[in-house]
Amino acid sequence: MISLQQVGKSYGSAKILDDISFEVQPGEKVSILGPGGCGKSTLLKLLLGLEKPNSGSISLLERDMVHASENEKQETLRRVGMAFQQGALFDYMTVNDNIRFAMEHMTDLSDDEMEQVIDDLLLSLKLPRTKTMFPYELSGGMKRRIGIARALATDPVVAIFDEPTSGLDPVTSTIILNMIKELGQKDESRTLLISTSSVEIAIRFADRIILINEGRVVDDGDWRKMMIDGDDWVRHFLSVRLIGIDIEYARELGLPDEFIKKHW
């Protein structure tokens, strides 16, 4: 479904990504986790063919995204849902038209079917009254939620979310995560990726974490094992952001007993 092999990306003398390699299988849910500025957003741009790497190979839905023509990229991206960190809404379109635009270009739904999808998504996001509003009338958090609704509206084979809960309150963050998870439950072959700097969001979303630091993959696997068996940096990065939370919430998150006994 997704394959990156020895991918490198630099801007001038600044190396952003260095020898990135991983694969994601159909139906997998994966969190790409790392501190701010580690290269996560650049990685997503390369995966989507929005930029080209300096080295390595990238395959998305069996398409070589490094050497594909623009038409071939667009054909592949019709099957991909993407929600960018800032929402990336069209300012001159209403919320309804922003979501509809994606469906018109990426699905074969009828007008009535598209309207029903939009109504259902906005209701689930608790934003039913925003349908006729323009982006300038929305808060930053509302724009983020509309951007995610647009990504979900196309019923994608692969859905990718860049910092989907950044800057959102806990209640809205939970709504967003649940929506994304439900997308995967509707079709077990659907692949879901989120990119986040939040350890809590990463572990709530997926068992598998691809942990990136300074442009390199420093660990890849089940986050519970990382917490116990990872190297010093990995264990510190994961634990320092969780120590101090309520012990019952720690158990709800599924933190390993060994970790809880050590820190609580």
Side-chain angles (χ1 to χ4, degrees):
M1 189 63 68
I2 295 171
S3 176
L4 288 84
Q5 300 298 325
Q6 298 179 308
V7 171
K9 179 64 177 179
S10 299
Y11 297 105
S13 61
K15 184 175 288 188
I16 308 301
L17 297 174
D18 182 18
D19 197 30
I20 296 284
S21 296
F22 64 82
E23 294 184 350
V24 179
Q25 303 303 320
E28 270 199 282
K29 293 195 296 290
V30 180
S31 295
I32 300 175
L33 172 66
C38 73
K40 301 186 300 295
S41 294
T42 299
L43 175 61
L44 296 186
K45 291 176 183 177
L46 296 177
L47 176 59
L48 295 169
L50 302 178
E51 295 189 18
K52 284 195 173 186
N54 297 100
S55 59
S57 62
I58 300 172
S59 174
L60 174 61
L61 294 172
E62 300 183 348
R63 175 82 68 189
D64 178 350
M65 298 300 283
V66 177
H67 300 103
S69 67
E70 288 304 314
N71 285 340
E72 290 172 333
K73 289 178 184 177
Q74 290 305 314
E75 180 183 328
T76 300
L77 294 179
R78 281 176 57 88
R79 303 163 63 197
V80 177
M82 177 68 201
F84 293 96
Q85 185 173 350
Q86 302 303 324
L89 302 179
F90 297 111
D91 291 335
Y92 58 89
M93 290 184 181
T94 63
V95 166
N96 180 81
D97 290 342
N98 262 285
I99 300 174
R100 188 184 180 93
F101 179 85
M103 289 191 287
E104 287 176 341
H105 288 78
M106 301 173 73
T107 74
D108 297 317
L109 297 177
S110 67
D111 286 345
D112 288 343
E113 288 172 330
M114 285 190 281
E115 288 301 310
Q116 188 61 57
V117 170
I118 293 170
D119 289 341
D120 290 345
L121 283 170
L122 292 179
L123 184 61
S124 65
L125 281 170
K126 304 188 185 303
L127 294 174
R129 297 182 181 180
T130 64
K131 190 172 182 180
T132 59
M133 296 173 68
F134 287 88
Y136 70 84
E137 299 177 284
L138 307 175
S139 69
M142 293 166 74
K143 290 179 184 178
R144 184 79 53 79
R145 290 149 73 185
I146 298 302
I148 289 171
R150 186 172 62 182
L152 301 179
T154 60
D155 195 27
V157 177
V158 175
I160 302 171
F161 304 89
D162 185 18
E163 297 282 3
T165 62
S166 175
L168 302 181
D169 62 85
V171 173
T172 305
S173 295
T174 296
I175 291 171
I176 293 296
L177 277 184
N178 288 343
M179 281 190 65
I180 297 173
K181 287 181 178 180
E182 286 171 9
L183 179 68
Q185 292 169 354
K186 290 179 181 177
D187 184 348
E188 293 184 355
S189 67
R190 184 173 286 125
T191 301
L192 304 177
L193 267 69
I194 68 167
S195 168
T196 181
S197 55
S198 167
V199 173
E200 179 186 344
I201 293 300
I203 67 177
R204 285 174 60 188
F205 178 70
D207 292 331
R208 180 186 174 190
I209 285 177
I210 299 172
L211 185 53
I212 297 177
N213 185 43
E214 297 182 347
R216 297 182 65 90
V217 174
V218 295
D219 211 337
D220 181 356
D222 191 294
W223 59 264
R224 299 168 187 84
K225 188 174 186 300
M226 290 184 194
M227 281 187 161
I228 304 303
D229 300 328
D231 66 25
D232 290 345
W233 187 91
V234 170
R235 286 186 284 108
H236 176 76
F237 181 82
L238 294 176
S239 64
V240 74
R241 290 157 175 78
L242 296 172
I243 294 171
I245 64 174
D246 181 79
I247 190 169
E248 292 305 319
Y249 183 50
R251 292 195 174 104
E252 183 182 327
L253 288 174
L255 301 187
D257 289 340
E258 182 178 343
F259 181 85
I260 291 176
K261 290 176 182 178
K262 181 178 180 180
H263 296 288
W264 273 265

